[in-house]
Amino acid sequence: MPKADQVRVLCVDDQDSMLKLHRYAFAQLGVRKVDVATSAVVAADLILSNEYDLVTLDWNMPGTDGLTLFKALRKNPKTAKLPIIMVTGNAEESSVKTAIAAGVRLFLRKPVAVRDLKVRVEAAIGKLT
């Protein structure tokens, strides 16, 4: 069981308001080590140069979208098993099927609620202590 204050998270979203909401939600769970990225390009650089326990990844972003980054991370042996939660406002059945086919297993709907985040985080990395 990971200690919440030792978990290191990267939140990726192009909207600053969503990143602030993610930081707040993680703080409510006791997670203090939260980095942010506003694009897939910045996120990829951070992921490859840091050790993260978990990534929350916005699907709809300008430029490279979250699903494209997800697929690239899964192809890289260094990041293939990195726990990732796909965050989206788009929960249409066809979109979910596309993401599942790509290997996405954890989804979180915007806006992020603390209780929903806790369930997904614990499904990804284990019960927080």
Side-chain angles (χ1 to χ4, degrees):
M1 292 190 286
K3 292 185 177 188
D5 64 351
Q6 296 302 310
V7 172
R8 187 164 184 199
V9 176
L10 175 64
C11 296
V12 185
D13 199 301
D14 61 308
Q15 296 179 3
D16 189 52
S17 60
M18 285 296 118
L19 292 173
K20 287 179 183 174
L21 180 59
H22 285 216
R23 278 184 186 263
Y24 171 80
F26 275 110
Q28 295 302 302
L29 300 179
V31 176
R32 305 282 183 251
K33 298 176 183 179
V34 179
D35 293 340
V36 297
T38 57
S39 73
V41 172
V42 172
D45 288 344
L46 286 170
I47 291 167
L48 293 174
S49 61
N50 294 282
E51 295 282 331
Y52 290 104
D53 299 300
L54 175 71
V55 173
T56 64
L57 181 56
D58 182 28
W59 187 335
N60 297 311
M61 295 185 290
T64 304
D65 65 41
L67 189 58
T68 301
L69 176 57
F70 176 88
K71 291 175 184 178
L73 292 171
R74 288 297 176 250
K75 288 180 182 177
N76 183 332
K78 181 180 177 187
T79 58
K81 296 191 185 280
L82 177 65
I84 297 173
I85 301 171
M86 186 67 68
V87 182
T88 184
N90 181 7
E92 292 178 11
E93 186 176 343
S94 62
S95 296
V96 171
K97 285 181 180 181
T98 298
I100 289 172
V104 176
R105 298 293 174 255
L106 296 169
F107 295 89
L108 192 57
R109 189 175 184 118
K110 286 183 181 184
V112 174
V114 174
R115 70 180 177 280
D116 296 334
L117 178 65
K118 182 178 183 192
V119 168
R120 299 317 182 286
V121 167
E122 290 184 343
I125 64 171
K127 187 163 179 63
L128 297 173
T129 60

